[in-house]
């Protein structure tokens, strides 16, 4: 009986098969080679505009050398959790430099960014506590909140009036924790941190920022959202990942030393997961040091962002409220979004389709992201192809405006 019920459930999932049949299935596309801004797919060179490698460090010589050094000195894996036998001096060195970079007393490294949010949010709050989440927060934050058994309250996206209403009506007897993305990963807007921090102080709540898409992007030195607003001392916990600007795999959270010590001994996603491989820790440490020594990469990333956004806006595309190198091109139709991404790939441009339920059905979009290493020539090619395909599909009706008129 149970297998029949399972078969019935999985057989209801038909969208992947339908997209494959139409030749527009966009997921799990194997990259045969990856050169940063260019990749090889099916033997063909494609411009990569769908990566989170904002600083373009995955092929930086110092990052690769740091990974090789770690591999030679520590081997391919740690064969255990950080809690028991999987800790190394390399992991601790990375934590020390992350804490210093984010302006906090201490940090702890987890195996992934997802596990970081899962562990931190689930561990610091319990049944008598409240967690307040932006409705557009990352899935890992939401899952962590569910595991905490806390009173979970969502407020409207970046809506500080709604957040205050939720704080006023909460009946928590202990911890109140507000958790927000620093940069929201789908639409590219930034948290209203000044207002959020003011409300946290008024209602005696803690603040945790997910800086997965902020580290290496916001702040004068790429040091994140709190630094961008000059509010580092007002934010209790800063979380980040290595899989974006730091060119590796893993995650971390930084904060007060006593809070980090508590997490080290209680966060189940840390204690019961193997530690990140030495090469990953080495690469993240190498990338962090490059970021600190080559802050001009952050400047170049923003120059590329302004260039691309200006061109797309001039052509009439709806880019929503983006403020960052994450540039959404709103299509507002799931099937048309799949077609848009597929035709762009045929034209040699890799972008990511984002459809429901990741976003509301009327907010489906193409997610385009910039790297510091994109050239003007590459961006001009992408702009031309995006405009041409959008017109073919009836997404863009406005006349094309040349950048050089």
């Amino acid at each position: 009986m149970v297998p029949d019920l399972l078969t019935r459930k999985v057989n209801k999932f038909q969208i992947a098969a339908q997209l494959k049949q139409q030749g527009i299935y966009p997921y799990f596309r194997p990259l045969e080679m990856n050169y940063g801004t260019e990749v090889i797919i099916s033997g063909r060179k494609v411009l990569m505009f769908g990566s989170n490698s904002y600083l373009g460090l995955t092929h930086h010589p110092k990052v690769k050398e740091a990974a090789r050094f770690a591999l030679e000195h520590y081997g391919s894996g740690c064969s255990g959790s950080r809690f028991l036998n999987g800790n190394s001096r390399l992991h601790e060195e990375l934590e020390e430099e992350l804490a210093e970079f984010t302006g906090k007393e201490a940090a702890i490294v987890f195996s992934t960014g997802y596990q970081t949010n899962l562990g931190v949010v689930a561990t610091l709050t319990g049944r008598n506590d409240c967690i307040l989440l932006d409705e557009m927060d990352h899935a890992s934050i939401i899952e962590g909140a569910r595991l905490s058994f806390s009173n979970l309250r969502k407020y409207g996206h970046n809506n500080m009036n709604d957040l205050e209403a939720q704080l006023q009506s909460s009946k928590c007897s202990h911890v109140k924790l507000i958790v927000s993305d620093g940069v929201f990963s789908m639409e590219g807007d930034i948290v209203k941190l000044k207002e959020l921090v003011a409300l946290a102080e008024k209602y005696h709540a803690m603040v945790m920022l997910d800086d997965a898409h902020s580290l290496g992007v916001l702040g004068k030195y790429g040091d994140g959202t709190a630094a961008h607003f000059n509010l580092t001392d007002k934010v209790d916990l800063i979380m980040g990942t290595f899989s974006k600007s730091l060119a590796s795999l893993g995650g971390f959270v930084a904060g007060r030393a006593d809070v980090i010590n508590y997490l080290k001994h209680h966060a189940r996603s840390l204690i019961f997961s193997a530690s990140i491989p030495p090469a990953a820790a080495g690469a993240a440490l190498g990338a962090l040091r490059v970021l600190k020594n080559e802050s001009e990469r952050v400047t170049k990333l923003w120059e590329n962002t302004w260039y691309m956004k200006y061109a797309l806006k001039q052509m009439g595309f709806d880019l929503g409220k983006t403020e960052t190198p994450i540039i959404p091109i709103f299509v507002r139709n799931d099937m048309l979004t799949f077609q848009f991404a597929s035709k762009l790939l045929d034209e040699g441009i890799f972008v990511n389709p984002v459809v429901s339920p990741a976003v509301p059905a009327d907010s489906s979009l193409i997610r385009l992201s910039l790297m510091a290493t994109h050239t003007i020539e590459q961006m001009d090619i992408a702009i031309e192809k995006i405009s041409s395909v959008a017109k073919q599909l009836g997404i863009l009706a406005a006349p094309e405006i040349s950048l050089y008129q």
Side-chain angles (χ1 to χ4, degrees), residues 110-176:
F110 288 69
S111 299
T112 66
Y114 195 103
Q115 287 178 299
T116 306
N117 277 334
L118 199 71
V120 174
V121 176
T123 301
L124 292 183
T125 58
R127 293 184 185 276
N128 295 317
D129 304 321
C130 286
I131 302 176
L132 299 104
L133 308 181
D134 188 294
E135 64 180 352
M136 296 299 289
D137 275 351
H138 191 267
S140 56
I141 297 172
I142 296 169
E143 292 304 315
R146 288 172 176 167
L147 286 174
S148 73
F149 298 105
S150 301
N151 179 7
L152 172 59
R153 291 172 174 262
K154 288 186 181 181
Y155 58 91
H157 177 48
N158 247 346
N159 186 330
M160 296 299 109
N161 291 331
D162 192 15
L163 173 58
E164 181 163 27
Q166 297 294 340
L167 285 163
Q168 285 175 336
S169 63
S170 65
K171 306 296 182 183
C172 306
S173 57
H174 294 95
V175 177
K176 294 178 184 176

Side-chain angles (χ1 to χ4, degrees), residues 38-147:
E38 295 181 352
V39 298
I40 305 297
I41 299 177
S42 301
R44 190 167 60 96
K45 184 175 74 174
V46 174
L47 291 178
M48 172 54 75
F49 282 92
S51 172
N52 293 323
S53 180
Y54 299 113
L55 300 179
L57 294 180
T58 55
H59 286 76
H60 195 289
K62 291 182 180 178
V63 175
K64 292 196 288 186
E65 179 55 36
R68 280 192 291 266
F69 178 87
L71 181 63
E72 289 297 324
H73 284 75
Y74 293 97
S76 62
C78 296
S79 305
S81 73
R82 295 286 307 284
F83 193 69
L84 295 174
N85 65 293
N87 194 32
S88 74
R89 180 63 195 129
L90 181 63
H91 291 93
E92 294 182 349
E93 193 174 353
L94 175 57
E95 289 167 345
E96 290 163 7
E97 295 200 21
L98 285 166
E100 179 185 18
F101 188 65
T102 56
K104 294 300 178 184
E105 290 180 353
I108 180 70
V109 167
F110 288 69
S111 299
T112 66
Y114 195 103
Q115 287 178 299
T116 306
N117 277 334
L118 199 71
V120 174
V121 176
T123 301
L124 292 183
T125 58
R127 293 184 185 276
N128 295 317
D129 304 321
C130 286
I131 302 176
L132 299 104
L133 308 181
D134 188 294
E135 64 180 352
M136 296 299 289
D137 275 351
H138 191 267
S140 56
I141 297 172
I142 296 169
E143 292 304 315
R146 288 172 176 167
L147 286 174

